[in-house]
Amino acid sequence: MGDEMLELTVIIHTRDSEATLPRLLESVRWAEECIVVDMESRDRTCEIARQYGATLIPTPMAPRIDGIRNAFLERGQHEWVFVLDSDEYLAEDAEENVRGLLAQYGESCDAFFVPRYNMIAGQIIRSCSWYPDHQIRLFRKGCVRWGDTTHKLPELLTAPERLHKLEPPGCLHIHHENYTSIEQFIDRQVKYALNDIYPEDGFSFQQYVAKAYEEFFFRLDEKNDGELSFALATLMAWDRVVRGLIHWERLGRKDSLSRAYSLPIATISRYPDYVFPNDLEELRRRVQMLESAPGVKSWARIVKSFRRERRKVKEHLKRILHCFRK
Amino acid sequence: MKTRLCAVILSRGLDEMLRFCLKNFFESAEQLSGEIEAEAIVVDNASPRPYLGTSFSDRRVRLLRFDAPTGFAAACNRAVQKCEAEQLLFLNNDVFLDRSTLGQMLQHGCDADVGVTGSWLYFPDGRVQHRGVVFGNDDIGPYHLHRGQYLEPRRPLEAFQAVTGACMVVGRELFNRIGGFDESYAFGLEDIDFCLRVRQCGQRVICVDAGRPMHFESFTPGRVEMDVSSRRLFMERWRGKYTIDG
């Protein structure tokens, strides 16, 4: 731990955060400047922020958190900024880790891609769709910009190679206690879905439904996360469908929804491009390659090699392959 | 006023073992409930799945999370800064205390001339894991006396030059006075280095027969490799400065 405070601005966004804010402020005491941007809290959030010596900036409630982050990025006096939400915190050795990163990469990069642990309903989720969940939160002032979204990654304004990705294990992490229960998870997902902005064109309910299956498939990881994995995968799939319906209504209910109801098997065979486009492309490439080699046309062989590499898509590949044969 | 005792437990993964270690610690502390007030700081040393506050139902347990793997010395020193207890117990997550262990250790450990108190520890099959650390000639250096032998204690306590940090009671004031564990050690022998420095301050290091606490030993993966550099550093510093036993 350094004797002098680290020249860094921590920006924290709060809204009724009295339960989690002390832990976060305690974990960033080593930062020279701390700004709490508060959205009309009705509890002791502001009082706690003052107690810890943070600069308090009140701001009106905003439907989408990401959009308002940009407005405060320039308020800090230091070159480097660490943006955190009130339900996040850093570990005991964060100071040493941040100091080390800035000393080693401060010249060569403008932002760090920091992994994040997510705790949902009392459990740290380790399926690959929830972890390492890299976030761009530690960056040089003026180099990052968020869109008008909710909890999406910001854009790095300089160059992709100026982003340094931290590879776990054994590196700085953000610790995020997202939801204390499934009920709270549902509540937030609905709010985010209702407050999001949806495009004016390009609506396809089939795509939303296909994404729902994709979400379920990729989020499900019983081995790592047990029974809770089923609940979360189901909720994330449900979230896609709910978003599709909100989008559909906002566009005046013009499109037909019924085509999507022949899913899932029909979707994968009828609209294979909606599901795993990257995997499908890779499969196509291999088929072409093998077909060009005389005497090698074994479908089984293609599938086997592909399965070995991508075990998770095993079952879906069978269906995609079936579609190819047609 | 009750004496406050804080167990500092460095741990990576092995959640169930840690839970059992804590359970045994508090059970042993309860035998002295009239005299001591026990708490524990669990140092989560970069567990792949971090421990949660809710993992331990006992409110007397505090968590200190390190994202990057940290040496035993640095992690323990940091943990000590976070507690105010007068007595410190450094405990490995694979040591299960006996109900009588703390009573025995504190009874002798509170003597004015005793700086560090260790305990007899046993492997699960009943062989001795630790009953004091002795020093051999030349490159042999420190080693656990009678490790792996079936043996019963004949005396309630014996003085040694060092005891293992797997289960060690130290007064907080002494710990701070000599600057805690030396953080130059990667992992291993910082406890022996500490004991030798305690003796240089004129305090005794003792090992007591304290029931049958169990030590599984070196359960954490990657732990053994770090011993090599630590041993080299230890020998550079202390060769010729300790007494060759027996």
Side-chain angles (χ1 to χ4, degrees):
Chain A
M1 196 161 36
D3 294 332
E4 287 181 12
M5 292 180 100
L6 184 58
E7 289 186 0
L8 175 110
T9 302
V10 173
I11 301 178
I12 299 167
H13 293 269
T14 56
R15 159 84 176 166
D16 294 343
S17 310
E18 66 176 9
T20 55
L21 188 60
R23 180 181 55 194
L24 167 55
L25 290 169
E26 199 64 52
S27 76
V28 295
R29 270 181 179 273
W30 41 268
E32 201 169 83
E33 186 183 30
C34 186
I35 296 174
V36 170
V37 180
D38 184 66
M39 288 194 297
E40 300 174 4
S41 284
R42 295 153 296 183
D43 61 4
R44 292 179 55 248
T45 300
C46 297
E47 188 188 326
I48 293 166
R50 283 191 211 98
Q51 274 172 9
Y52 277 85
T55 306
L56 187 67
I57 304 179
T59 186
M61 266 292 285
R64 289 169 297 280
I65 177 70
D66 293 345
I68 66 158
R69 291 189 201 272
N70 298 321
F72 302 96
L73 294 178
E74 301 297 323
R75 301 289 279 272
Q77 51 179 307
H78 297 300
E79 184 187 2
W80 287 91
V81 179
F82 207 140
V83 172
L84 290 160
D85 286 336
S86 62
D87 55 357
E88 295 172 334
Y89 62 97
L90 301 178
E92 182 68 21
D93 57 347
E95 179 187 355
E96 294 96 297
N97 289 333
V98 173
R99 270 185 200 276
L101 287 171
L102 297 185
Q104 196 175 353
Y105 303 103
E107 293 293 319
S108 61
C109 74
D110 296 323
F112 294 92
F113 215 15
V114 185
R116 182 168 73 164
Y117 286 115
N118 289 296
M119 193 192 93
I120 301 176
Q123 193 173 313
I124 288 177
I125 306 298
R126 284 303 302 265
S127 91
C128 59
S129 56
W130 295 97
Y131 183 78
D133 191 24
H134 280 93
Q135 303 289 317
I136 300 177
R137 299 294 192 80
L138 175 60
F139 50 84
R140 198 188 303 277
K141 198 159 69 175
C143 295
V144 157
R145 183 147 208 89
W146 266 274
D148 188 15
T149 51
T150 301
H151 294 160
K152 296 283 191 312
L153 286 178
E155 184 191 358
L156 181 61
L157 301 172
T158 51
E161 57 271 23
R162 301 281 295 172
L163 178 68
H164 179 76
K165 187 176 183 181
L166 304 186
E167 295 291 354
C171 63
L172 174 75
H173 277 71
I174 297 168
H175 296 256
H176 185 205
E177 294 201 355
N178 315 34
Y179 309 104
T180 52
S181 63
I182 297 281
E183 203 171 306
Q184 195 189 29
F185 184 93
I186 294 169
D187 181 56
R188 294 268 190 93
Q189 289 302 109
V190 170
K191 278 182 191 155
Y192 293 154
L194 290 172
N195 287 323
D196 227 338
I197 293 176
Y198 295 85
E200 293 293 326
D201 53 4
F203 173 78
S204 159
F205 192 56
Q206 294 96 299
Q207 266 195 16
Y208 277 104
V209 176
K211 274 192 192 307
Y213 284 102
E214 197 178 322
E215 281 287 346
F216 184 80
F217 190 73
F218 283 119
R219 302 271 178 185
L220 187 61
D221 187 349
E222 198 186 1
K223 191 178 162 197
N224 267 310
D225 299 325
E227 195 76 0
L228 187 59
S229 177
F230 278 99
L232 297 180
T234 306
L235 284 173
M236 291 308 288
W238 164 82
D239 178 69
R240 298 296 150 196
V241 177
V242 166
R243 281 169 182 269
L245 293 172
I246 295 170
H247 193 180
W248 174 70
E249 189 170 73
R250 290 196 184 169
L251 293 181
R253 303 186 191 174
K254 289 174 195 154
D255 255 55
S256 161
L257 300 179
S258 60
R259 279 201 304 168
Y261 284 112
S262 50
L263 302 175
I265 294 166
T267 303
I268 288 157
S269 56
R270 283 173 63 193
Y271 311 107
D273 284 329
Y274 294 148
V275 184
F276 317 124
N278 293 335
D279 291 329
L280 194 67
E281 195 49 49
E282 173 64 14
L283 185 61
R284 273 199 188 114
R285 197 184 64 73
R286 289 191 189 195
V287 169
Q288 278 168 3
M289 200 173 71
L290 283 169
E291 279 183 343
S292 65
V296 184
K297 283 196 176 180
S298 166
W299 285 103
R301 210 166 143 183
I302 301 166
V303 173
K304 268 185 190 170
S305 70
F306 209 68
R307 270 188 208 166
R308 269 199 298 274
E309 290 168 33
R310 294 170 170 75
R311 283 188 185 170
K312 284 195 153 194
V313 297
K314 190 168 91 178
E315 289 307 313
H316 291 266
L317 269 174
K318 273 187 192 169
R319 291 168 191 156
I320 293 169
L321 192 59
H322 178 70
C323 159
F324 256 97
R325 277 175 173 159
K326 281 181 181 173
Chain B
M1 205 171 103
K2 288 182 181 179
T3 305
R4 286 173 296 178
L5 170 73
C6 179
V8 175
I9 306 170
L10 197 59
S11 188
R12 180 179 306 162
L14 303 172
D15 301 39
E16 291 308 315
M17 183 168 272
L18 173 62
R19 223 185 301 277
F20 209 69
C21 168
L22 284 164
K23 178 175 171 284
N24 281 270
F25 164 68
F26 284 116
E27 275 179 10
S28 188
E30 270 163 30
Q31 309 305 308
L32 304 165
S33 56
E35 301 151 47
I36 64 162
E37 199 176 302
E39 61 167 340
I41 294 184
V42 170
V43 182
D44 179 355
N45 197 4
S47 296
R49 192 190 290 265
Y51 304 134
L52 297 172
T54 49
S55 307
F56 314 105
S57 51
D58 203 310
R59 286 177 169 229
R60 295 169 291 181
V61 180
R62 275 192 289 159
L63 264 179
L64 214 57
R65 162 74 187 182
F66 286 86
D67 282 339
T70 306
F72 177 85
C76 288
N77 289 348
R78 184 76 75 92
V80 171
Q81 284 173 19
K82 300 277 173 185
C83 77
E84 290 166 356
E86 297 86 18
Q87 293 288 335
L88 305 168
L89 169 70
F90 295 98
L91 190 65
N92 281 14
N93 63 352
D94 57 350
V95 172
F96 299 160
L97 297 186
D98 193 293
R99 279 171 178 264
S100 66
T101 306
L102 285 178
Q104 296 290 331
M105 289 180 86
L106 290 171
Q107 182 194 334
H108 301 292
C110 290
D111 290 352
D113 64 336
V114 172
V116 174
T117 309
S119 166
W120 280 62
L121 300 171
Y122 298 87
F123 285 116
D125 62 2
R127 289 174 301 134
V128 171
Q129 190 275 330
H130 170 263
R131 57 152 301 200
V133 172
V134 291
F135 294 77
N137 278 323
D138 304 325
D139 287 335
I140 297 173
Y143 64 93
H144 285 201
L145 180 64
H146 296 146
R147 183 179 183 280
Q149 296 183 20
Y150 287 102
L151 204 69
E152 293 301 324
R154 297 206 181 112
R155 279 174 282 182
L157 73 90
E158 276 178 277
F160 285 91
Q161 292 182 81
V163 291
T164 179
C167 177
M168 169 198 273
V169 169
V170 190
R172 180 194 175 77
E173 187 276 322
L174 174 66
F175 185 84
N176 288 336
R177 179 150 45 98
I178 67 166
F181 291 112
D182 188 326
E183 298 182 12
S184 318
Y185 292 92
F187 221 115
L189 293 167
E190 59 286 274
D191 48 352
I192 311 300
D193 176 287
F194 180 82
C195 289
L196 293 176
R197 286 188 285 127
V198 165
R199 280 170 55 89
Q200 284 181 336
C201 287
Q203 299 279 294
R204 287 200 302 151
V205 174
I206 60 167
C207 187
V208 299
D209 162 25
R212 294 192 81 81
M214 202 157 57
H215 187 191
F216 288 84
E217 199 184 56
S218 297
F219 246 73
T220 306
R223 158 78 176 76
V224 177
E225 289 78 2
M226 295 186 188
D227 275 348
V228 179
S229 65
S230 285
R231 182 161 281 271
R232 195 179 304 126
L233 175 64
F234 179 86
M235 294 308 274
E236 279 168 19
R237 284 213 182 141
W238 289 101
R239 190 192 285 269
K241 294 177 187 165
Y242 48 74
T243 308
I244 307 297
D245 293 280

